[in-house]
Amino acid sequence: MSRQIKLGAFLPGGGQHIAAWRHPNQPADGATSFEFHKQLAQTAERGLFDAYFLADGLAIPASGVTDGGTAKVAGFEPVTLFSALAPLTKNIGFIATASTTYEEPYNLARKFASLDLISGGRAGWNVVTTATEAAAHNFNLDTQHPHEYRYQRATEHVEVVKKLWDSFEDDAFLRDKASGQFFDRSKVHDTNHVGKFFKVRGPLNVPRSPQGQPVIVQAGQSESGRSLAAATAEVIFTSHQHLETAQDFYRDIKKRAEPPAATRITS
């Protein structure tokens, strides 16, 4: 079987290093410069990268409050940015980060489905649970939800989002001007989800894109995170300093992703 490596560009406009904005060749306002992000995306596409990935947070980093020296204090909301970059590119995918803890499934499903349509089927969702007290303080909480609570919610959240993305079948929209039939109601499916964390009727009011659903990306490191990644993700974002630990991580995820053995029935 032919195997190819896939290249993802992780290029925050303000740079990865806390002092990247001070480099002579770096625009000081790169974090919030659309022109600079356009340059990054188009350069990555020319270099045959498969995707442009952006992390995101829902609060100013603690260092940004205390010392005033980091460009990470402000930046674009990724889905908004990628919606603007999509028409300026042709092939590169866009993986935006969004939180299952502080967003509702319907709103999240809607904005990623919209990005997927705008880009012609090049959107991906980096699933995060957002583990900072600072973010909690921006969303009506005195302290963040416990770890297990966040991952249980995330598992159900992704399930609901996927159901919403399947609200319309690929050929649901007839758009027949002569008959006046815009869509086939038999090919529209209510979500009707009732779970521990969410109650969502559906259907989503955005149709499917050429790729069907946005790609699911997840960064699972803890036990709960690895289980979530194995159960939901098509791409897993991870970082290891040694080959042995990377191989162990790979084997662990593969094992978790294997379907359970079929129960043998004997007469």
Side-chain angles (χ1 to χ4, degrees):
M1 180 178 66
S2 177
R3 300 178 67 183
Q4 291 184 326
I5 191 170
K6 301 297 182 182
L7 299 176
F10 187 6
L11 300 171
Q16 279 290 82
H17 192 278
I18 191 172
W21 64 275
R22 299 179 65 186
H23 191 280
N25 297 332
Q26 166 76 10
D29 66 344
T32 51
S33 167
F34 177 73
E35 287 300 316
F36 185 54
H37 281 87
K38 181 176 74 172
Q39 178 185 339
L40 292 174
Q42 292 176 337
T43 300
E45 183 168 64
R46 287 197 306 273
L48 303 182
F49 276 76
D50 294 278
Y52 185 172
F53 173 92
L54 277 182
D56 189 43
L58 298 173
I60 291 176
S63 61
V65 176
T66 58
D67 64 24
T70 173
K72 298 180 185 297
V73 70
F76 290 117
E77 189 282 312
V79 174
T80 305
L81 173 64
F82 286 157
S83 294
L85 290 174
L88 305 177
T89 55
K90 293 182 179 179
N91 299 307
I92 195 166
F94 293 103
I95 301 172
T97 298
S99 174
T100 58
T101 302
Y102 299 114
E103 294 201 46
E104 288 292 310
Y106 197 94
N107 284 344
L108 189 147
R110 189 169 188 251
K111 71 179 184 180
F112 274 90
S114 296
L115 174 59
D116 216 26
L117 278 178
I118 291 168
S119 65
R122 292 185 281 138
W125 170 29
N126 179 41
V127 180
V128 299
T129 65
T130 311
T132 66
E133 293 291 329
H137 297 164
N138 290 336
F139 290 87
N140 301 311
L141 296 174
D142 293 325
T143 186
Q144 65 175 321
H145 292 298
H147 179 88
E148 283 305 311
Y149 172 96
R150 287 186 284 109
Y151 276 90
Q152 289 176 17
R153 176 186 164 101
T155 299
E156 186 178 338
H157 193 294
V158 175
E159 177 188 351
V160 178
V161 167
K162 286 184 172 182
K163 287 180 181 178
L164 287 165
W165 283 339
D166 279 339
S167 293
F168 293 95
E169 295 182 22
D170 290 337
D171 57 351
F173 289 89
L174 306 174
R175 301 185 179 93
D176 188 329
K177 293 184 178 181
S179 68
Q181 190 82 18
F182 191 79
F183 68 99
D184 184 344
R185 184 64 182 88
S186 69
K187 296 183 178 182
V188 183
H189 306 289
D190 295 336
T191 307
N192 290 330
H193 178 91
V194 179
K196 179 179 179 180
F197 299 96
F198 304 108
K199 184 177 181 180
V200 181
R201 178 179 293 176
L204 188 67
N205 59 351
V206 182
R208 287 165 65 85
S209 77
Q211 74 169 336
Q213 293 189 357
V215 174
I216 298 291
V217 182
Q218 216 278 321
Q221 300 296 329
S222 66
E223 280 296 307
S224 299
R226 292 184 184 207
S227 295
L228 176 65
T232 64
E234 297 162 273
V235 179
I236 296 176
F237 185 81
T238 187
S239 176
H240 292 269
Q241 302 302 314
H242 303 283
L243 177 61
E244 294 78 11
T245 62
Q247 291 173 328
D248 288 343
F249 179 84
Y250 177 87
R251 285 191 289 266
D252 181 53
I253 294 294
K254 286 290 186 180
K255 183 177 180 180
R256 292 171 190 258
E258 290 176 355
T263 302
R264 180 176 297 175
I265 300 175
T266 59
S267 56

